[in-house]
Amino acid sequence: MQVKVYNTSAAEVGKIKLDDAVFGCEYNEALIHQAVVAYQANQRQGTKSALTRTEVRGGGIKPWRQKGTGRARQGSIRAPQWTKGGVVFAPKPRDFSKKINKKMKAQAFRSAISYKVANNELVVVDEIKLAAPKTKLVAEILKNFNYDKRTLIIVSGDSADVVRAGANIEKLVVTDAALANVYQLVSSAAVIVTKDAIKKIEEAYSI
């Protein structure tokens, strides 16, 4: 398939042929969902922790006798119902990571980016070069394309200035083609990709 190529002023400057094996795949919602769940699970640190009643310091003695006080029976001041008591089913450090094999992960990416192309949510630009790493320059690019929604910019090569300039824009994520993932694609309403990034993606995901 062929798609239009724009410059950063949103003016058409040519066309580019996309590899159907990468950008023309069928939409597989179940596979994409599995890849997103695995990605989000792998981002969890799993370091939260709280103390159970057996781990809280103190409370070894019965606070008052069983009968005759008129109060409810209690066995320890570190029971869950007490202030500073232990936590019922306290969270403990654990590994939340999920595994997904490389072929499934790659196919999920192809399916997600193909969906963006099919629904006109992906725009190819010839290049993104900034005179300086300033936020307003990237904001102007988004304004030229009328993007005030969550946007993903995929670049390639020396893109440190673009990444730095886009860091302060709330609804923008800037990533390198080698680091782009399924979650970034599905969580973005619009995707801007440079021609060099297209080549890298095709090299990495072509069948």
Side-chain angles (χ1 to χ4, degrees), residues 86-203:
V87 177
V88 182
F89 306 123
K92 293 296 180 182
R94 54 171 290 194
D95 181 15
F96 287 95
S97 65
K98 293 180 181 291
K99 291 184 179 180
I100 179 171
N101 65 52
K102 291 182 179 179
K103 288 185 178 179
M104 293 173 66
K105 188 176 179 181
Q107 185 58 34
F109 184 91
R110 286 191 286 264
S111 179
I113 202 166
S114 296
Y115 180 85
K116 292 296 181 183
V117 175
N119 289 273
N120 297 318
E121 296 177 2
L122 184 143
V123 171
V124 180
V125 296
D126 53 355
E127 60 180 359
I128 300 178
K129 286 188 176 181
L130 304 178
K134 293 185 177 181
T135 301
K136 67 177 182 180
L137 298 179
V138 176
E140 287 178 2
I141 296 174
L142 298 179
K143 185 177 180 181
N144 291 336
F145 286 99
N146 294 318
Y147 285 166
D148 58 352
K149 48 196 173 184
R150 186 169 178 82
T151 305
L152 172 66
I153 295 180
I154 304 177
V155 291
S156 178
D158 186 12
S159 56
D161 286 351
V162 182
V163 174
R164 183 179 176 186
N168 289 331
I169 300 178
E170 182 181 3
K171 295 181 180 180
L172 176 66
V173 175
V174 182
T175 186
D176 189 90
L179 303 175
N181 58 63
V182 177
Y183 175 76
Q184 292 173 336
L185 287 171
V186 300
S187 63
S188 301
V191 182
I192 298 176
V193 191
T194 63
K195 289 176 65 175
D196 288 341
I198 289 289
K199 292 179 181 179
K200 269 197 172 183
I201 291 172
E202 289 181 341
E203 290 174 0

Side-chain angles (χ1 to χ4, degrees), residues 47-58:
T47 56
K48 62 181 180 179
S49 181
L51 302 180
T52 64
R53 63 180 296 170
T54 62
E55 297 169 323
V56 179
R57 184 179 178 84

Side-chain angles (χ1 to χ4, degrees), residues 16-51:
I16 185 173
K17 187 176 181 180
L18 301 180
D19 187 353
D20 288 340
V22 179
F23 297 95
C25 298
E26 292 184 3
Y27 180 62
N28 190 331
E29 184 177 1
L31 185 58
I32 291 175
H33 177 267
Q34 187 174 350
V36 170
V37 169
Y39 172 82
Q40 291 181 315
N42 295 338
Q43 300 306 302
R44 300 183 67 173
Q45 290 182 318
T47 56
K48 62 181 180 179
S49 181
L51 302 180

